[in-house]
Amino acid sequence: MCVYNSHCDGHFAKQFGAGPPDNNKSLTRQTPTQTKKQTPKKVSLENNKMLEPAIIKTKVAPQFGAEDSDTGIGVCGWILTIICWLLVLVTMPFSFFICFKVVQEYERAVIFRLGRLLSGGAKGPGIFFILPCIETYTKVDLRTGVFDIPPQEVLTKDSVTVSVDAVVYFRVSNATVSVANVENAHHSTRLLAQTTLRNILGTKDLHEILGDRETISGSMQAALDEATESWGIKVERVEIKDVRLPVQLQRAMAAEAEASREARAKVIAAEGEFKASTALKEASMVIAQSPAALQLRYLQTLSTISAEKNSTIIFPLPIDFLSQFMR
């Protein structure tokens, strides 16, 4: 018997090009010769592959409410919620002391109901309501906090070991994210600040660390702020406190600085001698033109000596008299 199904008429019409069977004709037993004549062509593997998705698509029905069951609390959750509301109503007004909570102006409360975050974000500041037994909350402080980065031993770009410590100012910018996305936002930020300090100082030379502290602090603040944005943390400021050098390096730098200062002092002294000799040469030329000027200079020197050392006795001798002996 060849039986036709009305559900598959459309598919057979697309695949074999045949229309639906005539319902008015009665179905009779067919002879082998008639069966051969009416046997349809063989369907290729490609046609089967094309047919399977259409059949599967018609058989699979959409599941209504699947989205709601994934995102909602479920039937058990609603039952527990109703029981908690009944408990609150029965124990009124004593239940108000448990259900009503207060957070300060600088705090926010992140509420979980049966382990799920409540819609609407964090609550506060002020008073808010929680259901006992099924709701818990976590307080988050929004004030700016500060912590010290312990001294970090860092090998600089020019292979010098230094010990650097810093201080970081930060605050919570999103209370819900800071609770839901990271286990301990403050501790994670502290550890990240230590590694960031070592990574940034490892790419700097010693003279850059000693001279460009503001640039290093700015780059470190930008790196920390970008990394902690997904944790709900805002890094406001980073400051480098102290840079400690090894004792041997301090002695070497002190000796280098002392040598450079001595070299500059010698250069300055030589420049002074040169200027003094130039001035003396010009003075000798002036005195040579006027012999009386030498006597006046001699008397001025005597007055200066007598004012400073009164016990000194000086016997002036004429220069012309000495010149006779010099010949």
Side-chain angles (χ1 to χ4, degrees), residues 10 36 74 79 134 141 154 167 182 235:
K36 287 183 180 179
I79 294 174
I134 65 171
D141 196 338
V154 181
V167 59
V182 63
V235 178

Side-chain angles (χ1 to χ4, degrees), residues 37-56:
K37 291 180 181 179
Q38 296 181 1
T39 301
K41 296 181 181 180
K42 294 182 179 179
V43 181
S44 63
L45 184 60
E46 294 180 357
N47 293 333
N48 288 335
K49 289 182 178 178
M50 294 173 60
L51 184 62
E52 285 177 0
I55 297 173
I56 293 173

